[in-house]
Amino acid sequence: MIFKKIIVTFLVLCAVTAFAQENLIVNTQNRKQVSLNGTWHYIIDPYETGFYDYRYKEKGEKDAEAYWNNPEPNGKTDRKEHGYNNDYSIQVPGDWNSQDDVFKYYEGTVWYQREFDKPKLDENERIFLYFGAVNYEAHVYLNGKKLGMHKGGFTPFNFEISPGMLKDKGNFLVVKVDNKRYADEVPTLNTDWWNYGGITRDVKLIITPQNFIQQYAIHLKQSQDIEKSLKRKRFNISGYFKLNTTAAEEKITIEIPEIGFKENVDIRDSEGSFDLEAKKLELWSPENPKLYKVMFTLGEHTLTDKIGFRKVEVSGKDVLLNGKEIFMRGISIHEEIAPEIRRAKNSADADKLFGWAKDLNVNMVRLAHYPHNEYMTRAADSLGLLVWSEIPVYWTIDFKNDEVLEKAKKQLDEMIIRDQNKASVIIWSVGNETPVSEARTKFMKSLVMHAKEKDDTRLISAALEVGYNRGRNYIDDPLGEYTDIVSVNEYLGWYGDLPHAKVKSKWETAYDKPLFFSETGAGAKGGFHADKETRWSEEFQEWYFEETLKMMENMPENFTGLSPWILVDFRSPKRNNPKYQEGWNRKGLIDDKGNKKKAFFTLKKYYEKKEEEYKKR
């Protein structure tokens, strides 16, 4: 039986890596590229007719009725039972749910198709097909050949296109997109947000030299004494490079022109690490979101990036940024533009969401419950917003399933690799509200340790649940032993009792670590007004926050901030009160029309007070 279990586990892990994406290319916005955004064709395929034959076996590449093959008939006797045309068009990037009523509740397979011409390539250049994200499972085909597949609805992936696969004109690109929910996926069947399907983020061709810098990290070395470094105006910078092709020996030059920094790093067998010293760096912070132009040169090719340098750490009960204690004035955000009932997808959407957040006077955002678009983290870098970034290990994940753990780790890796050079990202979160059990704690601990191994320059956390005991709330979730900060979601006064119960509520933790409230909130229908004890009224939500903030003022010394739930109302099929919800989670401080509710101003006033308090320290 033991031998059989080992074999089954091995086969499961092989299944996870089958058709695995090639190593992820980072900083795509600063590479030579051709956008494939715009109008695509589609076929809705609920029975997956284009993928399986009538015996429910995957169709082969020579099967004319496989939907990845060009359906143009060779003559009048040629039978074709599928086709792509302009009558069935869809915009990329974008979710399908918001583009036509036929998609509103649809979960299943949709085939996306477009053609493109071969871009002009210099001698020895390579070409990759890059997707910012596809929800949830993507199978990618070019000119009738499968490039590969990817699982995970919120992380990027890419495949190399071999020169022999490209035609000069009319390359036939097809993507099978499937957003069905399964018990053994990440996220799982049950979530409290809308399952937007589609190619939701940018698609582009990335053109690179034969050998190029595929991934890199550059940051302040975590072990240095930041106070001494500030006094000396000398900072240790460390990181690594990974090339796409194994090379006997290479050199990469790192330059930061603004401070006159220029150093060489040796690369052997495609990888290299470095530990260097830089003078006169200005550190990144919310008050001063300083970004430097950094240049990486390999041979004749230079890759540029905008990077901030900062150090975040835990010291006893405090979170320190650049050696100073911070209070995180946060707000949670879903990647959704509520007034247009769609998934956020571009830089204008990031500006809109963060504009609302800045109006609230926050210095931190929790990007829940999945990695958001890279436009968000890049904007946060520029705006000086601290970021909590999370993978969708949510509620009832199958914690006993080794395959699920590997899927979660893969998404964690893709999140970290993409955003490890974003100064704004200070917390990697490995999940939300996972029910305590031995299997769950083992699963979640594995993710925490994996994140620490991948990146030691950020804090690791997870949003935990808390039990409500009148007069005393004791946080002793065993996962708190392994996270850097203890983060909890609390809803006393909304789920159970009324808001006045909060004032007498006492909080304690089993761990001598910073305490962060990753959620708190109450629902209110925008524009509905009544007395404060009437649920769903703006006055009830306002009362809830008034009592919550009184409670926060009596927190233990390790209280280090909060990110209430949530900035804006968002779509959720779980919320079905026909008068007050209508398919919306109404805990937003801004309603689905973009109007600020009364509680918005209550929290804003509290944050203004906290900002002044910390300025005097």
Side-chain angles (χ1 to χ4, degrees), residues 58-223:
E58 185 174 347
K59 292 179 176 178
E61 289 181 349
K62 294 182 179 180
D63 190 325
E65 282 308 309
Y67 285 7
W68 55 82
N69 283 322
N70 196 320
E72 291 301 318
N74 295 318
K76 65 181 183 180
T77 63
D78 196 8
R79 177 180 57 83
K80 297 292 184 182
E81 295 193 21
H82 74 287
Y84 298 98
N85 63 50
N86 292 333
D87 291 335
Y88 297 91
S89 296
I90 196 165
Q91 294 301 305
V92 171
D95 64 88
W96 64 50
N97 311 77
S98 62
Q99 297 195 47
D100 194 302
D101 283 344
V102 73
F103 289 115
K104 184 174 181 179
Y105 290 100
Y106 183 72
E107 292 182 310
T109 286
V110 174
W111 296 84
Y112 282 68
Q113 182 274 334
R114 68 159 292 164
E115 294 183 7
F116 66 90
D117 295 337
K118 181 180 179 179
K120 185 176 180 180
L121 300 176
D122 294 336
E123 188 177 359
N124 294 324
E125 282 189 322
R126 302 166 68 177
I127 187 166
F128 294 80
L129 178 60
Y130 178 92
F131 294 85
V134 176
N135 191 34
Y136 168 79
E137 180 176 321
H139 294 254
V140 183
Y141 306 84
L142 180 63
N143 295 328
K145 301 290 184 181
K146 190 166 190 174
L147 294 178
M149 66 89 73
H150 178 266
K151 283 187 177 183
F154 306 97
T155 49
F157 58 99
N158 49 258
F159 304 106
E160 184 165 13
I161 301 173
S162 62
M165 292 189 69
L166 283 175
K167 302 183 295 184
D168 288 338
K169 298 287 184 180
N171 290 284
F172 195 80
L173 176 61
V174 177
V175 185
K176 178 185 183 292
V177 182
D178 185 356
N179 74 329
K180 289 193 296 292
R181 294 166 293 125
Y182 293 96
D184 60 349
E185 297 295 342
V186 181
T188 186
L189 292 167
N190 193 19
T191 67
D192 188 16
W193 70 82
W194 202 267
N195 184 27
Y196 288 105
I199 303 177
T200 56
R201 298 180 188 166
D202 293 338
V203 185
K204 48 192 165 183
L205 300 174
I206 305 294
I207 300 167
T208 72
Q210 192 64 29
N211 194 16
F212 64 95
I213 302 168
Q214 179 176 290
Q215 298 170 10
Y216 58 89
I218 182 168
H219 46 71
L220 291 187
K221 189 172 183 179
Q222 192 71 7
S223 61

Side-chain angles (χ1 to χ4, degrees), residues 399-613:
F399 297 109
K400 296 180 180 180
N401 189 323
D402 289 335
E403 181 181 356
V404 173
L405 177 59
E406 291 306 310
K407 291 172 183 175
K409 285 182 177 179
K410 183 170 177 288
Q411 292 186 39
L412 184 59
D413 286 345
E414 290 165 352
M415 175 178 71
I416 291 173
I417 289 169
R418 192 196 75 177
D419 282 340
Q420 62 188 330
N421 292 300
K422 308 293 196 307
S424 55
V425 181
I426 65 164
I427 298 170
W428 300 127
S429 170
V430 297
N432 178 76
E433 292 183 356
T434 52
V436 176
S437 72
E438 184 177 346
R440 165 270 194 180
T441 301
K442 180 181 177 182
F443 183 107
M444 299 298 287
K445 177 187 174 183
S446 180
L447 291 177
V448 170
M449 296 300 112
H450 188 76
K452 288 178 179 288
E453 180 183 347
K454 291 290 182 181
D455 182 8
D456 67 352
T457 68
R458 290 171 173 84
L459 309 181
I460 312 299
S461 195
L464 310 177
E465 290 184 301
V466 61
Y468 304 113
N469 306 300
R470 289 198 65 148
R472 185 173 183 266
N473 295 284
Y474 188 63
I475 304 165
D476 60 352
D477 187 315
L479 186 60
E481 180 182 344
Y482 308 106
T483 58
D484 294 312
I485 63 175
V486 176
S487 307
V488 294
N489 297 349
E490 79 83 24
Y491 287 96
L492 180 63
W494 179 251
Y495 299 118
D497 221 320
L498 291 173
H500 59 68
K502 290 197 162 197
V503 176
K504 297 180 180 179
S505 181
K506 304 296 181 183
W507 291 84
E508 300 175 47
T509 66
Y511 309 105
D512 190 25
K513 298 179 179 182
L515 171 63
F516 181 76
F517 282 79
S518 38
E519 290 182 24
T520 186
K525 176 73 178 291
F528 172 53
H529 297 283
D531 63 85
K532 70 178 186 179
E533 292 188 355
T534 300
R535 283 193 188 264
W536 305 110
S537 69
E538 288 195 31
E539 286 72 17
F540 184 99
Q541 187 187 47
E542 180 184 41
W543 179 37
Y544 177 93
F545 271 91
E546 288 171 348
E547 299 302 318
T548 297
L549 298 176
K550 289 177 188 176
M551 181 183 75
M552 296 300 176
E553 292 293 351
N554 294 313
M555 283 289 115
E557 291 182 359
N558 62 338
F559 177 51
T560 192
L562 67 158
S563 58
W565 193 257
I566 186 171
L567 180 65
V568 190
D569 289 354
F570 61 95
R571 293 285 281 162
S572 173
K574 294 176 67 69
R575 308 294 175 165
N576 292 314
N577 184 298
K579 184 175 181 180
Y580 300 115
Q581 292 175 310
E582 303 168 291
W584 291 86
N585 185 309
R586 295 295 188 187
K587 293 189 180 71
L589 298 177
I590 298 172
D591 70 16
D592 58 297
K593 304 297 190 297
N595 302 308
K596 294 169 182 174
K597 304 176 190 177
K598 297 183 74 173
F600 180 99
F601 302 98
T602 300
L603 183 60
K604 178 183 173 73
K605 184 176 180 181
Y606 172 77
Y607 280 164
E608 289 170 346
K609 175 184 173 184
K610 298 302 287 188
E611 181 182 26
E612 290 303 314
E613 179 184 321

Side-chain angles (χ1 to χ4, degrees), residues 196-317:
Y196 288 105
I199 303 177
T200 56
R201 298 180 188 166
D202 293 338
V203 185
K204 48 192 165 183
L205 300 174
I206 305 294
I207 300 167
T208 72
Q210 192 64 29
N211 194 16
F212 64 95
I213 302 168
Q214 179 176 290
Q215 298 170 10
Y216 58 89
I218 182 168
H219 46 71
L220 291 187
K221 189 172 183 179
Q222 192 71 7
S223 61
Q224 68 188 298
D225 186 321
I226 198 69
E227 291 185 5
K228 289 182 179 179
S229 297
L230 285 164
K231 288 178 182 178
R232 295 169 58 237
K233 295 185 179 180
R234 293 175 181 266
F235 300 89
N236 293 323
I237 294 176
S238 60
Y240 78 92
F241 290 103
K242 180 177 181 180
L243 306 186
N244 184 263
T245 302
T246 299
E249 186 173 350
E250 297 274 8
K251 284 187 182 293
I252 293 177
T253 302
I254 308 173
E255 293 183 74
I256 309 176
E258 188 174 335
I259 60 171
F261 178 90
K262 185 175 182 179
E263 295 284 353
N264 291 322
V265 175
D266 292 327
I267 304 293
R268 292 182 182 273
D269 298 327
S270 81
E271 296 186 357
S273 59
F274 59 88
D275 193 348
L276 306 168
E277 185 178 79
K279 301 176 183 178
K280 299 180 181 179
L281 270 180
E282 200 174 322
L283 298 188
W284 184 98
S285 69
E287 296 75 29
N288 180 40
K290 175 64 177 178
L291 299 176
Y292 287 95
K293 179 182 179 181
V294 184
M295 303 165 62
F296 309 105
T297 301
L298 175 65
E300 298 179 353
H301 299 276
T302 298
L303 180 65
T304 64
D305 203 349
K306 287 186 175 181
I307 294 176
F309 296 90
R310 55 97 186 105
K311 181 180 179 183
V312 61
E313 61 189 317
V314 166
S315 177
K317 297 178 180 180

Side-chain angles (χ1 to χ4, degrees), residues 284-287 289 310-312 319-322 324-331 333 354 357-358 362-367 376-377 379-389 422-427 459 516 560 563:
W284 184 98
S285 69
E287 296 75 29
R310 55 97 186 105
K311 181 180 179 183
V312 61
V319 174
L320 305 182
L321 180 67
N322 302 329
K324 294 183 179 180
E325 178 187 350
I326 60 170
F327 183 85
M328 289 178 279
R329 311 187 309 270
I331 192 65
I333 299 178
F354 284 161
K358 293 290 279 187
V362 306
N363 64 359
M364 180 262 186
V365 289
R366 179 187 178 200
L367 302 184
M376 295 286 278
T377 50
D381 265 12
S382 298
L383 293 169
L385 287 169
L386 304 170
V387 170
W388 161 311
S389 187
K422 308 293 196 307
S424 55
V425 181
I426 65 164
I427 298 170
L459 309 181
F516 181 76
T560 192
S563 58

